[in-house]
């Protein structure tokens, strides 16, 4: 029997992605470990508010000493039309730059919002590992010059055009010399959480569930998947799956490194 591949889920949102994620950070960490994954990256929408709970759950479950990796960062959503970019600090200075970037975006707008543009990220990109959730050649070239680590996300959401979309991203990856990394872009821990995610979507959109139609996800595939399931989804693209280990190895930062610094 072939052993399951060694892989990490590099893009997972929690309930701190307000009305977009449907599971608590601790639930995401526990589920990833139970599935036999080697780690998980928790990145909520323009915030690092949820990573503390993920870190606490990781430590309390004894995962810190087990080799299970926890990446903590943020999914950067931009006001200038730039596609989402997930950012993880590779070290303590990188964490400082990421939090300063988020503070900059928070100060520009009302409470609960964050206004960022691509130049803001470029000014703070040193020490960050970036995953472009979508892109085009010029953007990837710009990011490659600014960031020490860069990948282009590849997803298989079973949306009917998976093969065509993956082929587009493979061509983009080859042309820009930016490697593909496999992710399920998870929004909840298990498929049973999909109804809760639908309700949150309706609250966000201000509509009743019977009126939601295509604004709801077409299926319940945005849950964490086991290494074996990910291997089946990305059969023939094993290198993209293996790169999930690369990002976990690159991001050595842990919240344990933080200490209060007296002024």
């Amino acid at each position: 029997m072939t052993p399951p591949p060694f892989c990490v889920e590099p893009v997972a949102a929690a309930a701190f992605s307000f009305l977009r994620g449907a599971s608590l950070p601790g639930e995401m960490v526990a589920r990833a470990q139970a599935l036999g994954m080697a780690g998980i990256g928790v990145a909520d929408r323009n915030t690092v508010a949820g990573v503390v709970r993920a870190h606490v759950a990781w430590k309390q479950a004894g995962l810190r000493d087990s080799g299970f990796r926890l990446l903590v960062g943020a999914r950067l959503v931009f006001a200038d039309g730039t596609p989402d970019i997930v950012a993880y600090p590779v070290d303590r200075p990188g964490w400082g730059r990421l939090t300063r970037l988020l503070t900059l975006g928070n100060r520009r707008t009302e409470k609960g919002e964050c206004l960022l543009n691509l130049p803001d990220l470029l000014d703070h990109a040193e020490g960050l590992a970036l995953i472009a959730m979508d892109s085009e050649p010029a953007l990837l070239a710009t990011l490659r010059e600014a960031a020490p680590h860069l990948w282009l996300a590849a997803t298989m959401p079973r949306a009917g055009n998976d093969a065509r979309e993956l082929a587009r991203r493979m061509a983009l990856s080859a042309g820009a010399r930016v490697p593909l990394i496999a992710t399920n872009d998870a929004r909840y821990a298990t498929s049973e959480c999909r109804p809760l995610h639908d309700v949150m979507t309706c609250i966000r959109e201000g509509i009743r569930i019977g009126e939601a139609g295509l604004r709801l996800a077409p299926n319940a595939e945005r849950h964490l998947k086991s290494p074996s399931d990910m291997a089946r989804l990305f059969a023939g693209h094993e290198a993209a799956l293996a790169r999930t280990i690369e990002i976990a190895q690159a991001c050595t930062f842990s919240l344990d490194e933080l200490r209060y610094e007296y002024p």
Side-chain angles (χ1 to χ4, degrees):
M1 181 176 179
T2 303
F6 194 56
C7 67
V8 170
E9 175 49 72
V11 183
F16 283 77
S17 288
F18 189 53
L19 300 180
R20 289 176 171 83
S23 297
L24 295 174
E27 294 172 339
M28 298 296 279
V29 171
R31 181 60 178 168
Q33 190 273 336
L35 287 170
M37 305 203 81
I40 186 173
V42 177
D44 284 309
R45 181 184 174 92
N46 286 344
T47 184
V48 291
V51 301
V52 174
R53 293 194 184 189
H55 180 76
V56 170
W58 176 67
K59 290 176 65 175
Q60 289 180 342
L63 300 180
R64 178 173 58 178
D65 301 321
S66 72
F68 182 90
R69 296 284 293 117
L70 174 64
L71 284 64
V72 294
R75 184 183 186 122
L76 305 177
V77 180
F78 299 92
D80 59 5
T82 300
D84 294 1
I85 297 173
V86 174
Y88 292 112
V90 302
D91 51 23
R92 173 63 181 84
W95 172 262
R97 293 185 189 93
L98 177 60
T99 54
R100 285 196 294 273
L101 171 63
L102 294 172
T103 298
L104 175 68
N106 289 333
R107 286 177 171 172
R108 286 177 174 160
T109 185
E110 61 187 38
K111 185 176 181 179
E113 300 294 330
C114 184
L115 198 160
L116 293 172
N117 296 304
L118 178 61
D120 302 322
L121 171 59
L122 300 179
D123 289 341
H124 295 79
E126 184 180 353
L128 296 180
L130 305 180
I131 302 175
M133 299 307 295
D134 199 354
S135 196
E136 45 83 24
L139 174 59
L140 288 179
T142 299
L143 293 173
R144 195 178 64 234
E145 292 180 2
H149 304 278
L150 175 65
W151 293 267
L152 174 64
T155 60
M156 297 289 281
R158 296 180 178 174
N161 65 338
D162 289 7
R164 184 167 62 252
E165 177 61 18
L166 182 58
R168 181 185 74 84
R169 290 180 184 243
M170 289 175 62
L172 181 58
S173 167
R177 302 192 309 279
V178 173
L180 284 178
I181 189 169
T183 173
N184 207 48
D185 195 5
R187 300 297 174 90
Y188 38 88
T190 69
S191 58
E192 289 77 12
C193 298
R194 191 269 173 87
L196 175 59
H197 188 260
D198 286 351
V199 169
M200 290 186 167
T201 299
C202 291
I203 294 172
R204 187 181 75 237
E205 298 291 334
I207 54 177
R208 297 178 183 273
I209 198 161
E211 305 165 349
L214 294 177
R215 279 176 279 195
L216 298 180
N219 54 43
E221 292 296 322
R222 301 291 289 277
H223 62 90
L224 292 170
K225 291 185 168 69
S226 70
S228 297
D229 286 341
M230 292 295 285
R232 282 191 289 271
L233 281 175
F234 288 93
H237 306 281
E238 288 76 12
L241 200 60
R243 292 188 187 105
T244 66
I245 300 300
E246 290 181 10
I247 191 170
Q249 293 173 338
C251 298
T252 61
F253 171 73
S254 166
L255 291 181
D256 283 335
E257 298 178 43
L258 300 181
R259 299 290 184 273
Y260 184 76
E261 298 178 7
Y262 290 93

